Structures are given as C-alpha cells and as structure tokens.
C-alpha cells in the first residue's frame, strides 16, 4: 500500500470509446503525475500537476485529457485512442516539485489499458 | 533529451550479489533515484543519492559518482523476492525526473 490508489486496474476499450482513469492519493502531497509505461521502454512522463495547476504537458496527444479537481485527485480522460496507446498508466504523487523537496515519487499500481 | 542507460536483464543465484549499473547524461544533476518494481505492482522507492559515495540500507546499497555520470545499485544476499525490475531515475537542472528503461533481475534457486 503506497497511499496512491488507481482505478480501474484493467481497462479494455475500443477506439471510439470514452473512458476515464482515476487516481487518489492519501499522503497529503501537493504534486501529482501521470506516467505511461510500455514494455522495455523508460517510464514516460505525460502530465504534472502542482497545487492543482498543470505545470507540465509532455507533448501528449489531445486524445488524453487530464483533470485535477484538487490536490488529492487526478483523472485521465481517454477519447478515440489508438492501439499503440495500450500500456500501463501509472499515477504518482510527491510532496512538491521544487528544489526544496527530494522529489521522491509514490506510485499507484497502475491501470493496464488495452485499446482494440 | 536526457539519456539514462542500464542493462536490460540480469540473472543471479539466491544468496549471491548483483550490481546493476546506471550511466546518465543529463542537463545538470539534482539527484539519482533507484526504484524497485515487481511484476504487476507499483514502483517503490529504494534509494536516493545526491552526493558522491555509497548509501547503505540493509541488503541494498547505492553508489554515485557525479563526475563519471555513474551509479550502481548493489543487492547482497539475494532472495527470491528480489526478482523484480529496478529503475534508475535522474533529476536534471530543472528538477525534472527521467527514467531508464529498467533492469529485470531474475533470482534463481
């Protein structure tokens, strides 16, 4: 139990579907992240939110739409995805993003997405 | 972009020692992390190095040489439960974290 909970754990969707991934952290952290993990590839940062404000969008296609209503919750809305978007999507949180923090990330167990 | 290299796979015997190397080329440096990820589970924090030298934490140790852009994670007295993927990550001058592709360690009886 890392204090970061992701739902659903598994999701299968068609290319025309609309679905959402949810992340909740119980650690009192101020920063939340979405990462994409594909087999044999480095973790790929997608979005960063700090105090509910998006501070980074790593050139992610618009078919991925993040939402951060408060510092404890993060969503990733999915629409008209492609088969190559199939991957493990990891949510993480940290105390903050500035230099005063070590930057240690606490990860959720991920949402395994399959796009047919 | 940032470049972080680590071996893809390593195999070792229970009770042995394994050293996972990580080399990096980044724009600036503000710390190096090692994470452990068991199959189907969340990555979990193992160690953090920001100064040169060795950090020891039980059976696991992590070493850093900033001048060489090099780190290693040392796993001693290997146990079957140590079979996992080990991720090296570096924080650059903008405090952004970049990950290597991970090293899958298989421990055999």
């Amino acid at each position: 139990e890392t204090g970061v909970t992701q739902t659903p754990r598994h999701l299968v969707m068609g290319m025309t579907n609309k679905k959402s991934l949810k992340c909740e952290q119980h650690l009192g952290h101020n920063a939340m992240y979405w990462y994409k993990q594909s087999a044999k590839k480095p973790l790929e940062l997608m979005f960063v939110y700090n105090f509910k404000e998006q501070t980074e969008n790593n050139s992610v296609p618009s078919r991925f739409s993040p939402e951060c209503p408060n510092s404890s919750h993060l969503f990733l809305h999915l629409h008209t995805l492609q088969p190559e978007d199939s991957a493990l999507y990891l949510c993480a949180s940290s105390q903050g993003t500035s230099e005063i923090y070590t930057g240690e990330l606490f990860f959720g167990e991920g949402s395994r997405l399959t796009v047919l | 972009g940032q470049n972080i290299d680590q071996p893809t796979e390593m195999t070792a015997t229970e009770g042995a020692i394994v050293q996972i190397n990580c080399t990096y080329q980044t724009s600036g440096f503000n710390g190096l992390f090692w994470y452990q990820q068991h199959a189907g589970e969340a990555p979990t924090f193992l160690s953090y190095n920001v100064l040169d030298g060795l950090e020891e934490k039980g059976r696991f140790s992590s070493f850093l040489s900033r001048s060489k852009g090099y780190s290693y994670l040392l796993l001693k007295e290997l146990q079957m439960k140590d079979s996992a993927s080990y991720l090296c990550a570096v924080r650059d001058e903008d405090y952004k974290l970049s990950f290597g592709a991970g090293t899958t360690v298989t421990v055999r009886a």
Side-chain angles (χ1 to χ4, degrees), chain A:
Chain A
E1 176 59 51
T2 62
V4 180
T5 305
Q6 289 187 243
T7 54
R9 292 292 310 278
H10 299 273
L11 179 62
V12 178
M13 59 187 289
M15 288 191 284
T16 58
N17 291 159
K18 278 187 183 181
K19 297 285 184 184
S20 296
L21 306 181
K22 178 183 175 183
C23 177
E24 183 174 0
Q25 58 99 357
H26 308 275
L27 301 169
H29 288 167
N30 299 313
M32 296 189 77
Y33 309 75
W34 279 116
Y35 280 89
K36 177 182 180 181
Q37 188 174 37
S38 303
K40 307 298 183 186
K41 291 185 179 179
L43 276 173
E44 187 181 331
L45 180 65
M46 300 175 72
F47 302 102
V48 181
Y49 279 82
N50 197 30
F51 292 96
K52 301 190 302 177
E53 299 298 319
Q54 186 180 119
T55 57
E56 185 151 353
N57 176 338
N58 202 23
S59 302
V60 181
S62 59
R63 57 186 184 268
F64 295 92
S65 174
E67 178 190 0
C68 188
N70 54 61
S71 293
S72 299
H73 293 85
L74 185 65
F75 296 88
L76 188 63
H77 303 301
L78 314 171
H79 180 45
T80 60
L81 294 190
Q82 305 298 312
E84 59 264 30
D85 296 323
S86 297
L88 182 69
Y89 289 85
L90 288 165
C91 173
S93 70
S94 69
Q95 287 182 297
T97 58
S98 75
E99 64 273 15
I100 66 172
Y101 304 108
T102 65
E104 179 186 344
L105 295 176
F106 292 76
F107 287 90
E109 293 188 317
S111 295
R112 172 72 60 186
L113 174 66
T114 302
V115 182
L116 301 176

Side-chain angles (χ1 to χ4, degrees), chain B residues 9-105:
Chain B
E9 295 179 335
M10 301 184 76
T11 301
T13 307
E14 200 173 12
I17 298 173
V18 70
Q19 177 174 314
I20 307 169
N21 296 325
C22 173
T23 57
Y24 62 89
Q25 293 173 306
T26 56
S27 50
F29 178 83
N30 278 297
L32 185 144
F33 298 81
W34 286 97
Y35 286 85
Q36 180 191 58
Q37 185 178 22
H38 286 101
E41 297 184 13
T44 54
F45 170 80
L46 284 180
S47 68
Y48 171 67
N49 294 69
V50 67
L51 299 176
D52 290 350
L54 188 68
E55 295 279 343
E56 296 187 83
K57 197 185 287 187
R59 295 187 297 111
F60 293 2
S61 304
S62 57
F63 171 83
L64 174 67
S65 168
R66 289 172 295 171
S67 62
K68 295 181 180 177
Y70 167 71
S71 172
Y72 67 72
L73 180 69
L74 194 69
L75 285 61
K76 294 182 273 190
E77 300 169 21
L78 278 174
Q79 301 176 9
M80 299 300 288
K81 67 178 182 180
D82 298 329
S83 292
S85 182
Y86 292 85
L87 311 177
C88 175
V90 177
R91 203 157 66 142
D92 66 18
E93 61 189 359
D94 296 321
Y95 296 91
K96 293 182 181 178
L97 196 64
S98 296
F99 282 83
T103 300
T104 300
V105 171

